[in-house]
């Protein structure tokens, strides 16, 4: 049975945690510490704590992070990406070239580690092409987020939704009909307005 004081403790802890994250504290240590504190206060049980860590969605995200780290270390995508990205004549054409492989890969890889892999690739590419990296970093993140709407694999939240609501029987491509519309609209918006709205970082070749 839930005690009357437990909701207040949880809400206060969440607010303090958000403030700590905003100040730059490591998210993994902070959230693990909060979970351990809840366990010590008997708000959750040890079984529930360990059950969350062993959730299939969490394990899948961790596995995808390991795959992305391997790709980054071996630079397996560098040559492929160089051919896909090429040497665009303008910022908008560069955004189009970046969007195509990113959306394709983002549909089958988790978006967070994918962005981590693409950042050094895009930074080197913009330097060689004489483009401003400041116009590409945020669109890189946005494109990955948009691609996550195409399949259940693209985002950790999608994986958790599939796991926590099994009776919905959500299949791999079920989000695609709505996701395609979101991706097209989002890409058009970012590609058209990014050169105007994003400040220059002065990082050109």
């Amino acid at each position: 049975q839930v005690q009357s004081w437990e909701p207040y403790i949880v809400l206060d802890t969440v607010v303090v945690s958000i403030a700590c994250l905003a100040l730059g504290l490591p998210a993994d240590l902070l959230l693990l510490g909060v979970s351990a504190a809840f366990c010590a206060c008997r708000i959750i049980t040890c079984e529930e704590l360990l059950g969350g860590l062993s959730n299939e969605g969490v394990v899948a995200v961790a596995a995808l992070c390991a795959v992305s780290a391997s790709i980054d270390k071996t630079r397996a995508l560098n040559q492929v990406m160089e051919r896909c990205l090429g040497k665009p004549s303008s910022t908008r054409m560069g955004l189009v070239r970046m969007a195509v492989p990113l959306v394709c890969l983002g549909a089958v890889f988790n978006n967070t580690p994918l962005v981590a892999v693409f950042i050094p690739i895009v930074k080197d590419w913009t330097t060689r092409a004489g483009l401003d990296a400041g116009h590409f970093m945020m669109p890189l993140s946005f494109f990955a987020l948009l691609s996550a709407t195409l399949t259940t694999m693209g985002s950790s939240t999608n994986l958790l939704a599939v796991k926590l609501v099994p009776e919905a029987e959500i299949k791999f491509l079920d989000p695609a009909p709505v996701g395609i519309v979101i991706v097209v609209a989002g890409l058009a918006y970012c590609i058209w307005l990014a050169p105007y709205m994003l400040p220059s970082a002065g990082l050109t070749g």
Side-chain angles (χ1 to χ4, degrees):
Q1 185 178 358
V2 177
Q3 301 296 321
S4 60
W5 54 269
E6 290 181 359
Y8 298 102
I9 294 295
V10 172
L11 289 175
D12 290 343
T13 305
V14 168
V15 171
V16 172
S17 299
I18 293 174
C20 292
L21 289 172
L23 293 174
L25 270 68
D28 49 353
L29 296 179
L30 178 63
L31 297 178
L32 185 60
V34 168
S35 300
F38 285 160
C39 187
C41 294
R42 304 290 180 88
I43 295 176
I44 60 174
T45 64
C46 291
E47 289 78 11
E48 290 171 332
L49 174 61
L50 296 175
L53 295 175
S54 62
N55 183 279
E56 290 181 7
V58 175
V59 174
V61 172
L64 288 171
C65 287
V67 172
S68 296
S70 301
I71 292 173
D72 185 31
K73 186 174 181 179
T74 59
R75 299 192 176 277
L77 287 177
N78 282 29
Q79 292 185 351
V80 177
M81 288 300 101
E82 285 178 3
R83 294 181 181 179
C84 291
L85 297 174
K87 293 184 178 181
S89 57
S90 65
T91 298
R92 284 200 182 91
M93 184 55 64
L95 289 171
V96 172
R97 285 178 173 270
M98 183 178 72
V100 173
L102 193 57
V103 169
C104 293
L105 290 172
V108 293
F109 284 95
N110 186 266
N111 53 21
T112 302
L114 183 65
V115 170
V117 169
F118 260 78
I119 285 176
I121 295 175
V122 171
K123 198 171 181 180
D124 292 343
W125 166 62
T126 54
T127 300
R128 291 194 306 271
L131 301 172
D132 192 331
H135 292 155
F136 289 84
M137 290 297 112
M138 288 309 300
L140 168 62
S141 176
F142 295 153
F143 294 168
L145 290 173
L146 290 170
S147 68
T149 63
L150 295 173
T151 66
T152 57
M153 185 64 71
S155 168
S156 55
T157 52
N158 294 357
L159 292 170
L160 289 176
V162 172
K163 174 61 180 177
L164 295 177
V165 194
E167 59 271 19
E169 297 183 351
I170 303 173
K171 301 297 189 297
F172 182 72
L173 289 175
D174 281 354
V178 176
I180 290 172
V181 177
I182 295 173
V183 168
V184 171
L187 290 180
Y189 181 86
C190 289
I191 291 169
W192 180 256
L193 292 179
Y196 295 117
M197 299 183 68
L198 293 175
S200 172
L203 300 175
T204 57

